[in-house]
Amino acid sequence: MGAKLTCCWEPEPEHSGESDAHNLEPEDSGESGDLPSFCQYTLEQLRIATSGFAVENIVSEHGEKAPNVVYKGKLENQRRVAVKRFNRSAWPDRQQFLEEARAVGQLRNHRLANLLGCCCEGDERLLVAEFMPNETLAKHLFHWESQPMKWAMRLRVAMCLAEALEYCTSKGRALYHDLNAYRLVFDEDANPRLSCFGLMKNSRDGKSYSTNLAFTPPEYLKTGRVTPESVMYSFGTLLVDLLSGKHIPPSHALDLIRDRNLQMLTDSCLEGQFSNDDGTELVRLASRCLQYEPRERPNPKSLVTALIPLQKETEVSSHELMGIPDSTAAFPLSSLGDACLRKDLTAIHEILEKLGYKDDEGAATELSFQMWTNQMQETLNSKKKGDVAFRHKEFAAAIDCYTQFIDSGTMVSPTVFARRSLSYLMNERPLEALNDAMQAQVISPVWHIASYLQATALIALGRENEGQVALREGTVLEEKRNENP
């Protein structure tokens, strides 16, 4: 195990259906690829995307008194997203929230986990951003399990962060609230991105720092306001984090720097990975950022200039430096995953038939308590008839029977939706199959079969790339299930 850190504050790890949304054209598409324009989502869209804000989909929480919870989710078009749901007392001014979100949503850059949209219904306030699957800098720096972060990667993180701040500053968004190691997240290629959530204020009281006072810029303690120079101070604390592998209070770090005790400031895991000159230069940059007087701190542009010559192993990919599997590489498939990739519907049928209702026994039990009414008996009979038809591969009949059961609304069953999904596939109705597979996942968020059936339907619809994403998701869920039977 690597060095562990006991946090002095409640961290906020930030990480990840444009239909029926109100699009807003961005000022600048930047270098962000094919991201959609910022838009407003309905609460129902986000409820479906997160499987009803299921606890299984929580990727971060912020405090207990005023929780702002972040969920991973999947939109109707299969785009993976991170959904931040604010505490209901936050952002009472609807218009202020919308204006702030829209302004941040105009930003589009490959160094950001970009804001895709928001939701503002009643007293609900939610933000929707790109989902970053490879966790936070804090996780990789402080709580690593397999390997400590390499020196070259730490320098890359510093550089990417400086570039993100330079971009935001150039677009008139120089203020970043509570910049810390939980705000840096890693995308599917293990490249570092700055979470867009920190570009929004945290709550109605305007507080911009959740960390303890030891890490707060000195001027913030006087005025309670964030300035661009405050962000540079926080950048300095991050440079100390990267150098030390620990979250050292700035005052202590400056004492070590003044005493030239750089050995105490440097992560022992980095021994032999960098020269004294490189280490000294990073320490010099950190101390400049941590100057007491705000005007003496550098700006993002000068930080980028200073960090460019320090970059190492630039030809090596981030996922290789991080020891994270390449997202574009082939991944091993189980027999079910392979059947879905090949659209071998007969093999999928055999697996579903053998599995039975193992994955929703709780729901079936709930039904059994209500069986004494005639209506319940009819509902149960329609399910039984559907199962008989499914077993005998009479898929049109199975669709009719399962539809009667589902439409009765007596109970929800992920297995029934999965079986009807496959029946639709057998009848060459892949769009209906996709809808049912997604509904199965809404009911049971971590059920691998729901993801696998989505993959099959997407591939049948000719949406190969999205199908591959769903297939990988199913593989990950199945592996987790096998690890924890």
Side-chain angles (χ1 to χ4, degrees), residues 3 137 140-142 144 148-158 181 234-248 252-254 256-258 260-287 290 307 310:
L137 175 62
H140 293 291
L141 199 57
F142 306 143
W144 55 271
M149 187 180 286
K150 293 180 178 178
W151 176 246
M153 192 65 210
R154 298 187 196 205
L155 291 171
R156 187 172 298 180
V157 168
S234 296
F235 188 95
T237 68
L238 271 171
L239 288 181
V240 172
D241 290 350
L242 290 165
L243 190 63
S244 66
K246 298 184 282 290
H247 201 43
I248 298 175
H252 181 46
L254 287 170
L256 292 173
I257 292 169
R258 273 191 289 268
R260 299 187 179 279
N261 194 349
L262 300 189
Q263 190 172 358
M264 287 289 290
L265 191 61
T266 307
D267 192 338
S268 59
C269 296
L270 294 173
E271 192 172 345
Q273 289 191 34
F274 64 94
S275 67
N276 284 338
D277 287 348
D278 284 353
T280 301
E281 178 59 16
L282 205 66
V283 167
R284 187 185 70 83
L285 276 178
S287 61
L290 295 173
L307 285 163
L310 292 180

Side-chain angles (χ1 to χ4, degrees), residues 398-426:
I399 290 170
D400 290 340
C401 294
Y402 287 143
T403 299
Q404 288 176 36
F405 173 76
I406 290 167
D407 289 348
S408 75
T410 305
M411 60 165 282
V412 290
S413 163
T415 303
V416 166
F417 276 106
R419 288 181 167 215
R420 192 174 71 168
S421 174
L422 182 62
S423 299
Y424 277 133
L425 284 168
M426 290 288 192

Side-chain angles (χ1 to χ4, degrees), residues 17-255:
E18 281 80 19
S19 59
D20 304 323
H22 312 293
N23 286 336
L24 298 160
E25 289 300 323
E27 297 171 3
D28 176 39
S29 59
E31 303 170 76
S32 56
D34 59 349
L35 285 181
S37 298
F38 179 89
C39 61
Q40 279 184 249
Y41 296 92
T42 66
L43 186 61
E44 184 59 21
Q45 280 178 308
L46 301 185
R47 195 182 302 282
I48 291 170
T50 58
S51 300
F53 300 105
V55 68
E56 296 94 335
N57 284 332
I58 292 177
V59 291
S60 79
E61 292 181 78
H62 176 57
E64 295 179 4
K65 294 179 182 175
N68 299 326
V69 187
V70 180
Y71 300 84
K72 63 180 177 181
K74 184 164 58 175
L75 299 175
E76 191 176 351
N77 63 2
Q78 300 297 300
R79 184 182 291 280
R80 303 289 300 281
V81 290
V83 179
K84 180 171 184 174
R85 191 181 195 183
F86 285 92
N87 174 266
R88 295 201 172 199
S89 65
W91 296 103
D93 187 328
R94 168 190 170 88
Q95 195 57 36
Q96 184 189 14
F97 175 78
L98 282 173
E99 287 173 4
E100 186 87 356
R102 283 171 177 157
V104 175
Q106 304 310 299
L107 304 178
R108 287 287 182 270
N109 191 266
H110 66 301
R111 294 296 183 222
L112 296 175
N114 294 280
L115 190 65
L116 304 178
C118 70
C119 174
C120 194
E121 289 186 19
D123 56 359
E124 290 279 5
R125 305 286 183 266
L126 302 99
L127 296 174
V128 182
E130 292 181 278
F131 178 70
M132 300 289 118
N134 283 312
E135 309 217 50
T136 66
L137 175 62
K139 166 75 174 177
H140 293 291
L141 199 57
F142 306 143
H143 308 295
W144 55 271
E145 293 171 3
S146 57
Q147 68 173 46
M149 187 180 286
K150 293 180 178 178
W151 176 246
M153 192 65 210
R154 298 187 196 205
L155 291 171
R156 187 172 298 180
V157 168
M159 178 72 176
C160 291
L161 173 56
E163 289 179 339
L165 293 174
E166 183 187 16
Y167 169 77
C168 293
T169 300
S170 74
K171 296 299 175 186
R173 302 294 302 187
L175 301 186
Y176 194 94
H177 304 273
D178 203 11
L179 179 63
N180 59 54
Y182 293 93
R183 300 289 201 179
L184 268 289
V185 285
F186 293 86
D187 64 19
E188 63 278 359
D189 297 318
N191 289 317
R193 308 263 204 116
L194 178 61
S195 168
C196 61
F197 293 147
L199 292 162
M200 302 264 302
K201 290 191 185 75
N202 284 336
S203 66
R204 63 176 177 176
D205 58 13
K207 284 185 179 175
S208 299
Y209 283 87
S210 61
T211 54
N212 73 11
L213 297 181
F215 296 88
T216 305
E219 67 276 8
Y220 180 78
L221 297 176
K222 297 177 187 175
T223 66
R225 294 184 179 279
V226 175
T227 66
E229 292 78 17
S230 308
V231 182
M232 291 299 94
Y233 186 92
S234 296
F235 188 95
T237 68
L238 271 171
L239 288 181
V240 172
D241 290 350
L242 290 165
L243 190 63
S244 66
K246 298 184 282 290
H247 201 43
I248 298 175
S251 59
H252 181 46
L254 287 170
D255 286 343

